[in-house]
Protein backbone atom coordinates (compact mmCIF):
# COMPACT_ATOMS: atom_id res chain seq x y z
CA UNK A 1 0.00 0.00 0.00
CA UNK A 2 2.88 2.34 0.78
CA UNK A 3 4.34 1.52 -2.61
CA UNK A 4 1.01 2.34 -4.20
CA UNK A 5 0.91 5.75 -2.46
CA UNK A 6 4.48 6.52 -3.49
CA UNK A 7 3.70 5.52 -7.05
CA UNK A 8 0.55 7.64 -7.11
CA UNK A 9 2.36 10.55 -5.47
CA UNK A 10 5.23 10.24 -7.95
CA UNK A 11 2.81 10.24 -10.88
CA UNK A 12 1.06 13.34 -9.52
CA UNK A 13 4.38 15.11 -9.10
CA UNK A 14 5.34 14.08 -12.62
CA UNK A 15 2.06 15.42 -14.00
CA UNK A 16 2.39 18.63 -11.98
CA UNK A 17 5.87 19.19 -13.40
CA UNK A 18 4.63 18.55 -16.93
CA UNK A 19 1.66 20.90 -16.42
CA UNK A 20 3.99 23.53 -14.94
CA UNK A 21 6.30 23.39 -17.97
CA UNK A 22 3.38 23.47 -20.41
CA UNK A 23 1.88 26.53 -18.69
CA UNK A 24 5.32 28.17 -18.44
CA UNK A 25 5.88 27.51 -22.17
CA UNK A 26 2.51 28.99 -23.04
CA UNK A 27 3.17 32.06 -20.90
CA UNK A 28 6.63 32.60 -22.40
CA UNK A 29 5.40 32.14 -25.97
CA UNK A 30 2.48 34.49 -25.27
CA UNK A 31 4.88 37.10 -23.87
CA UNK A 32 7.17 36.81 -26.91
CA UNK A 33 4.24 37.14 -29.34
CA UNK A 34 2.89 40.14 -27.39
CA UNK A 35 6.34 41.77 -27.42
CA UNK A 36 6.65 41.34 -31.18
CA UNK A 37 3.13 42.74 -31.72
CA UNK A 38 3.85 45.71 -29.44
CA UNK A 39 7.08 46.43 -31.28
CA UNK A 40 5.30 46.28 -34.63
CA UNK A 41 2.56 48.64 -33.43
CA UNK A 42 5.16 51.03 -32.00
CA UNK A 43 7.02 51.17 -35.32
CA UNK A 44 3.75 51.85 -37.14
CA UNK A 45 2.88 54.63 -34.71
CA UNK A 46 6.34 56.16 -35.05
CA UNK A 47 6.06 56.02 -38.84
CA UNK A 48 2.69 57.81 -38.78
CA UNK A 49 4.01 60.47 -36.39
CA UNK A 50 7.12 61.05 -38.48
CA UNK A 51 4.95 61.43 -41.58
CA UNK A 52 2.77 63.98 -39.76
CA UNK A 53 5.85 65.84 -38.58
CA UNK A 54 7.25 65.92 -42.10
CA UNK A 55 3.96 67.33 -43.43
CA UNK A 56 4.02 70.00 -40.71
CA UNK A 57 7.58 70.98 -41.63
CA UNK A 58 6.64 71.20 -45.32
CA UNK A 59 3.63 73.40 -44.55
CA UNK A 60 5.71 75.62 -42.26
CA UNK A 61 8.38 75.96 -44.95
CA UNK A 62 5.80 76.98 -47.54
CA UNK A 63 4.32 79.54 -45.14
CA UNK A 64 7.78 80.93 -44.40
CA UNK A 65 8.50 81.32 -48.11
CA UNK A 66 5.15 83.07 -48.64
CA UNK A 67 5.77 85.41 -45.72
CA UNK A 68 9.28 86.18 -46.94
CA UNK A 69 8.00 86.93 -50.44
CA UNK A 70 5.23 89.13 -49.02
CA UNK A 71 7.73 91.07 -46.88
CA UNK A 72 10.02 91.52 -49.88
CA UNK A 73 7.12 92.94 -51.89
CA UNK A 74 6.10 95.30 -49.09
CA UNK A 75 9.70 96.50 -48.69
CA UNK A 76 10.04 96.99 -52.43
CA UNK A 77 6.79 98.98 -52.53
CA UNK A 78 7.88 101.17 -49.62
CA UNK A 79 11.24 101.86 -51.25
CA UNK A 80 9.48 102.79 -54.49
CA UNK A 81 7.16 105.15 -52.60
CA UNK A 82 10.14 106.76 -50.87
CA UNK A 83 11.89 107.14 -54.22
CA UNK A 84 8.84 108.81 -55.74
CA UNK A 85 8.56 111.15 -52.75
CA UNK A 86 12.25 112.06 -52.96
CA UNK A 87 11.96 112.69 -56.69
CA UNK A 88 9.03 115.06 -56.16
CA UNK A 89 10.84 116.83 -53.33
CA UNK A 90 13.97 117.11 -55.47
CA UNK A 91 11.97 118.58 -58.34
CA UNK A 92 10.56 121.18 -55.92
CA UNK A 93 14.04 121.92 -54.51
CA UNK A 94 13.01 120.76 -51.03
CA UNK A 95 15.73 118.12 -50.56
CA UNK A 96 18.56 118.83 -48.13
CA UNK A 97 20.73 116.83 -45.73
CA UNK A 98 18.39 117.25 -42.77
CA UNK A 99 15.36 115.94 -44.68
CA UNK A 100 17.40 112.99 -46.00
CA UNK A 101 18.49 112.14 -42.43
CA UNK A 102 14.82 112.21 -41.29
CA UNK A 103 13.74 109.91 -44.09
CA UNK A 104 16.51 107.38 -43.43
Amino acid sequence: MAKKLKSKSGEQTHFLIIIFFIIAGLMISSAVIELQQSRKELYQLMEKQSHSLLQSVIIASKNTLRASTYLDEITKQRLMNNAVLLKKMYENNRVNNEILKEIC
Side-chain angles (χ1 to χ4, degrees):
M1 186 164 184
K3 193 175 184 182
K4 212 176 194 187
L5 284 175
K6 270 188 171 181
S7 176
K8 199 172 193 183
S9 175
E11 286 179 19
Q12 287 178 348
T13 305
H14 182 68
F15 285 126
L16 284 175
I17 292 172
I18 291 173
I19 290 172
F20 170 78
F21 281 115
I22 290 173
I23 291 174
L26 289 172
M27 290 176 67
I28 290 171
S29 63
S30 174
V32 169
I33 291 170
E34 186 67 30
L35 178 66
Q36 289 175 347
Q37 185 66 27
S38 296
R39 186 179 293 156
K40 182 179 176 183
E41 289 173 359
L42 181 63
Y43 284 140
Q44 289 174 349
L45 178 64
M46 289 172 59
E47 185 177 340
K48 287 179 184 178
Q49 287 180 344
S50 64
H51 183 72
S52 296
L53 180 62
L54 180 61
Q55 286 180 334
S56 297
V57 168
I58 289 170
I59 290 170
S61 297
K62 287 179 182 178
N63 288 339
T64 301
L65 288 173
R66 287 182 190 138
S68 178
T69 302
Y70 177 70
L71 290 174
D72 287 346
E73 289 297 319
I74 288 175
T75 304
K76 180 181 173 183
Q77 188 62 40
R78 181 164 182 208
L79 288 173
M80 291 300 292
N81 289 342
N82 288 348
V84 169
L85 176 65
L86 284 173
K87 181 183 175 192
K88 287 183 182 180
M89 290 176 72
Y90 179 77
E91 289 171 352
N92 293 329
N93 292 326
R94 293 177 49 202
V95 176
N96 59 36
N97 287 338
E98 293 173 14
I99 292 177
L100 289 176
K101 285 180 185 177
E102 286 180 25
I103 291 174
C104 293

